[in-house]
Amino acid sequence: MVDFKKFSAILSCLDEYMLLKGKKEINDMEANRELERAGLLNDSQPNPGSPLRNLLTSLRDSNLLPQNIRQAYGAWKIMLSGTIAKIPTIDQFQYC
């Protein structure tokens, strides 16, 4: 089971890191390295990024993965939360 308070802290830490570095997305190894530096999630030396990948996989399997985190071809991409649109920006029926 995932502790959602801790996961919320993880997401806010990663957002602050990406804003500080001027990045819009990072991979799982860079994210886990930053989380270990912040003291939120320990990293594995033989398999860098493995603890975060396991956490994200459990969220994906329980259908609780946030929209700003995606897995494509086995690689995890974590995007800045502010870049995800909350509502559609174009109303297709506005001119009818």
Side-chain angles (χ1 to χ4, degrees):
M1 190 69 186
V2 178
D3 182 14
F4 289 106
K5 286 185 180 182
K6 184 175 179 180
F7 188 68
S8 176
I10 287 172
L11 288 179
S12 63
C13 176
L14 293 177
D15 281 344
E16 289 174 16
Y17 171 75
M18 285 186 272
L19 286 173
L20 182 69
K21 296 293 184 180
K23 296 182 176 187
K24 292 187 179 180
E25 74 176 32
I26 56 176
N27 63 10
D28 52 352
M29 289 188 295
E30 183 178 1
N32 208 156
R33 187 172 47 242
E34 176 60 25
L35 291 173
E36 182 178 37
R37 189 191 65 74
L40 292 172
L41 187 65
N42 292 331
D43 201 2
S44 170
Q45 293 302 325
N47 299 319
S50 179
L52 183 61
R53 282 193 297 271
N54 293 339
L55 176 66
L56 296 177
T57 301
S58 68
L59 286 171
R60 182 200 62 201
D61 292 345
S62 59
N63 203 20
L64 297 172
L65 197 63
Q67 286 183 339
N68 64 321
I69 301 175
R70 301 197 189 271
Q71 183 183 25
Y73 306 110
W76 289 97
K77 299 282 184 185
I78 302 165
M79 294 176 278
L80 187 62
S81 295
T83 59
I84 304 298
K86 302 293 183 209
I87 57 173
T89 56
I90 299 173
D91 185 9
Q92 63 181 350
F93 300 111
Q94 67 185 359
Y95 300 111
C96 293

